[in-house]
C-alpha cells in the first residue's frame, strides 16, 4: 500500500455541497458550495488523489434510493471533471444511524474500503469535514482532521473545547492551506 502522501479525503454534505436538514434527495437539490469544485480540481492538478466519504442515511430512511444517490454523484463528478478535476473514489454509507453498521462515520468502514480499493493508506492523510463525527472518524483511522465552517462546521467549531483542529472558512481555504504546505 502507498503512503498517504498523495491522498486527500473529503466529506460531502456541508463541505463540497450545501447541506440540508431535509437531506439532499435529488440532483436538483445538490448545490455546490462556492469554490469547492475548483478546490478539488486544484488538488487534482497538484497530483493529489481526492476521495469522498459520505454518510447517506437518507437511503436507509427511504428518502431517496441508491440510483438517485448515484445520479447525484455522477453529476458531481461531471461538474468536477468539466473544470479539470477528478475523484479517485466516492464512498457512502446508506444505513440508518441505528443500524450499527461498520461504515457510518465515525466508524472506519468507508476509509478501509478506500484503502483497499485505491491501495493508499489513510493514516496521516488530511480529512476535511464539518461535523464532530468527521473529527472522530479521522481519529479512528489516524487521518489528520481539518474542519470547515460551512455546513454545520461553525457549530462544530464552537463545540471543540480543548480539541485543537485547524479550522478554515470553507473547502477552498482548507485546500489553499494544504497546497501551501506542499510548497
Ligand atoms: Mg458533512
Ligand atoms: Zn453503513
Amino acid at each position: 500500500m502507498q503512503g498517504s502522501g498523495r491522498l486527500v479525503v473529503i466529506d460531502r454534505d456541508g463541505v463540497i455541497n450545501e447541506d440540508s436538514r431535509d437531506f439532499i434527495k435529488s440532483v436538483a437539490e445538490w448545490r455546490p458550495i462556492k469554490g469547492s469544485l475548483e478546490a478539488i480540481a486544484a488538488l487534482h492538478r497538484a497530483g493529489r488523489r481526492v476521495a469522498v466519504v459520505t454518510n447517506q442515511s437518507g437511503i436507509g430512511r427511504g428518502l431517496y434510493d441508491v440510483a438517485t444517490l448515484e445520479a447525484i454523484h455522477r453529476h458531481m463528478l461531471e461538474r468536477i471533471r468539466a473544470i479539470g478535476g477528478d475523484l479517485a473514489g466516492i464512498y457512502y454509507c446508506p444505513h440508518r444511524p441505528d443500524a450499527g453498521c461498520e461504515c457510518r462515520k465515525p466508524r472506519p468502514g468507508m476509509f478501509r474500503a478506500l484503502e483497499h480499493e485505491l491501495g493508499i493508506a489513510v493514516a496521516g492523510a488530511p480529512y476535511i469535514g464539518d461535523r464532530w463525527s468527521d473529527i472522530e472518524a479521522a481519529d479512528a483511522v489516524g487521518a489528520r482532521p481539518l474542519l470547515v465552517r460551512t455546513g454545520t462546521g461553525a457549530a462544530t467549531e464552537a463545540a471543540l473545547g480543548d480539541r485543537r483542529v485547524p479550522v478554515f472558512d470553507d473547502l477552498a481555504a482548507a485546500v489553499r492551506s494544504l497546497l501551501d504546505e506542499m510548497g
Side-chain angles (χ1 to χ4, degrees), residues 11-15 19 130-131 134:
D11 173 40
R12 198 196 84 177
D13 296 333
V15 180
D19 204 355
D130 69 318
R131 289 182 189 260
D134 291 313

Side-chain angles (χ1 to χ4, degrees), residues 111-129:
F111 294 86
R112 298 300 178 223
L114 180 165
E115 288 183 317
H116 184 74
E117 283 189 28
L118 303 185
I120 311 177
V122 164
Y127 172 49
I128 307 168

Side-chain angles (χ1 to χ4, degrees), residues 4-163:
S4 65
R6 299 180 61 235
L7 178 66
V8 178
V9 188
I10 308 180
D11 173 40
R12 198 196 84 177
D13 296 333
V15 180
I16 298 174
N17 56 272
E18 305 286 355
D19 204 355
S20 167
R21 232 175 268 248
D22 300 321
F23 295 81
I24 308 299
K25 303 180 294 301
S26 65
V27 170
E29 290 176 355
W30 185 86
R31 293 181 298 117
I33 292 170
K34 191 172 187 308
S36 68
L37 304 184
E38 292 78 4
I40 291 169
L43 286 170
H44 180 70
R45 281 196 303 274
R48 293 295 161 121
R49 299 187 81 187
V50 182
V52 173
V53 294
T54 176
N55 285 347
Q56 293 296 326
S57 69
I59 291 175
R61 298 171 202 264
L63 298 174
Y64 47 92
D65 58 18
V66 167
T68 301
L69 183 70
E70 291 185 346
I72 292 169
H73 288 168
R74 270 197 306 279
H75 175 72
M76 175 169 74
L77 188 56
E78 281 166 13
R79 295 277 304 263
I80 290 167
R81 285 180 173 161
I83 56 169
D86 205 358
L87 294 175
I90 304 173
Y91 300 88
Y92 63 86
C93 164
H95 307 113
R96 297 171 58 103
D98 59 8
C101 68
E102 285 300 317
C103 42
R104 182 176 169 82
K105 293 176 287 183
R107 302 200 77 162
M110 287 189 280
F111 294 86
R112 298 300 178 223
L114 180 165
E115 288 183 317
H116 184 74
E117 283 189 28
L118 303 185
I120 311 177
V122 164
Y127 172 49
I128 307 168
D130 69 318
R131 289 182 189 260
W132 184 251
S133 57
D134 291 313
I135 297 171
E136 290 180 310
D139 290 347
V141 297
R144 182 156 62 99
L146 281 70
L147 184 66
V148 290
R149 297 190 175 97
T150 50
T152 49
T156 304
E157 182 184 19
L160 279 178
D162 292 337
R163 178 62 197 262

